[in-house]
Structures are given as C-alpha cells and as structure tokens.
Amino acid sequence: QFRTGPLLAKTARRGARGRRLLDLGCGSGVVSVVGAAAGALAFASDINPAAVRAAQVNAHLNDIDVEVRGGDLFAPWESATFDVVAFNPPFFERAQGGLLEMALCDAPGLPIFTRFLQQLHDHLAPRGIAYIAGSTEGALQTMRTAYADAGWSWQVAATKERLSERLVIDALREP
C-alpha cells in the first residue's frame, strides 16, 4: 500500500491538467496533491477520519487546493463524475481488523474492491480513466478477474520492480 502511493501519483498526474481527479482511499492525499500541483481539479476521500485529516494537512502544507471528504468509496461524492479516478485499494485478501488493516486488507473475494468496480461505472466521466494500484504480493490476479467481471477493459499503465514484488498500476476504461 505505502509503496504504491508514489507510483499511483506519478501515473495519475499524466494528463491531469484541467481534469477532475478523485483520489479515492486517499490516505495521506499524495495522489490528489500531486494531481492538483499538475493542474487537476482535485478531490480526495477516505473512510478513515485520520486519513482525511492527513490529506487536508498535506494539501495545506503544500499550499494546494484539494476538496477532501470522509466516507465509504463514492458515498461522499453522490452523483459526481470524474475524468480520472485513482484508487489504492486494500489489495490483500485477509480478514480486516482496525483502521490500518482496513487500508491494507479486503476480505477474501475482495468485496470492497468489487463494490468499487460496480460503483465506478456511475462516477467515471465518458472517456475517463481509472488507475488502480496493485502488487504481485497482493491479490492482483483476483483484482484483474474482477475488472472483467464488472465490465471493464484494462491495461498496465505503470510498473515498478522491487526485490520480491512488482508494483503495478492498471488503467481501466469503459469498453
């Protein structure tokens, strides 16, 4: 999770100027801050109140405008649509515990991620793109199967090799 954030931010900022960018599950807000610095109209949200506060502080410290809200997945944004959605999902299939584990772990079968993919259809603008962070140490193959099951086309947008894993950013679009 924490290693994928900078790669997701670097990928999502490409072509961000003038576009509506949502940093979903924002954590520290790195994606929205980097996107806003690149000229995006940036939005961020997280279910964890501490993450919401961290993203607000990070935006303030960087003198960047980011609208940050708390809530589950797209709930804080009602019927809003975005040109770019960046999501660093909980991509380990393990039981959840506290707030930190919620950021890292989805239950077996990835029910949170599956809900995200279903809701994304209503929140991604026409010709929009969603960037999804993953890792070969996580449930990457399960995630990719879920893309197809939810009706998304995808391709690899970025990778970064580490000693024992490959960090991946997949780009999703409507077919």
Side-chain angles (χ1 to χ4, degrees):
Q1 282 303 107
F2 306 113
R3 295 177 293 234
T4 51
L7 183 62
L8 183 59
K10 180 179 177 181
T11 305
R13 80 172 177 217
R14 294 186 214 147
R17 178 168 296 284
R19 301 183 82 196
R20 292 173 51 88
L21 170 100
L22 174 61
D23 181 3
L24 192 64
C26 65
S28 69
V30 65
V31 173
S32 53
V33 167
V34 168
L41 183 57
F43 302 86
S45 61
D46 202 295
I47 197 167
N48 182 340
V52 169
R53 183 69 183 136
Q56 291 169 332
V57 168
N58 198 2
H60 175 76
L61 290 174
N62 286 280
D63 197 24
I64 298 287
D65 289 327
V66 177
E67 185 175 342
V68 184
R69 297 181 184 175
D72 184 40
L73 296 176
F74 291 100
W77 307 108
E78 300 170 3
S79 60
T81 60
F82 303 91
D83 304 301
V84 178
V85 174
F87 187 36
N88 198 345
F91 53 68
F92 294 104
E93 287 186 273
R94 291 190 276 250
Q96 295 180 334
L99 290 173
L100 177 60
E101 287 172 330
M102 284 180 66
L104 302 172
C105 302
D106 198 343
L110 303 178
I112 294 168
F113 188 67
T114 300
R115 275 192 310 118
F116 160 77
L117 291 173
Q118 293 164 347
Q119 293 175 18
L120 181 61
H121 289 287
D122 295 329
H123 295 279
L124 193 63
R127 295 175 304 284
I129 189 166
Y131 294 111
I132 312 299
S135 165
T136 55
E137 293 293 307
L140 187 59
Q141 292 309 317
T142 303
M143 291 167 62
R144 288 176 169 171
T145 298
Y147 301 158
D149 291 347
W152 293 100
S153 64
W154 66 274
Q155 64 185 28
V156 175
T159 62
K160 182 175 181 179
E161 299 294 328
R162 298 186 43 89
L163 288 176
S164 64
E165 73 178 319
R166 174 180 291 139
L167 306 178
V168 176
I169 306 300
D170 288 336
L172 279 62
R173 295 184 185 273
E174 294 278 0

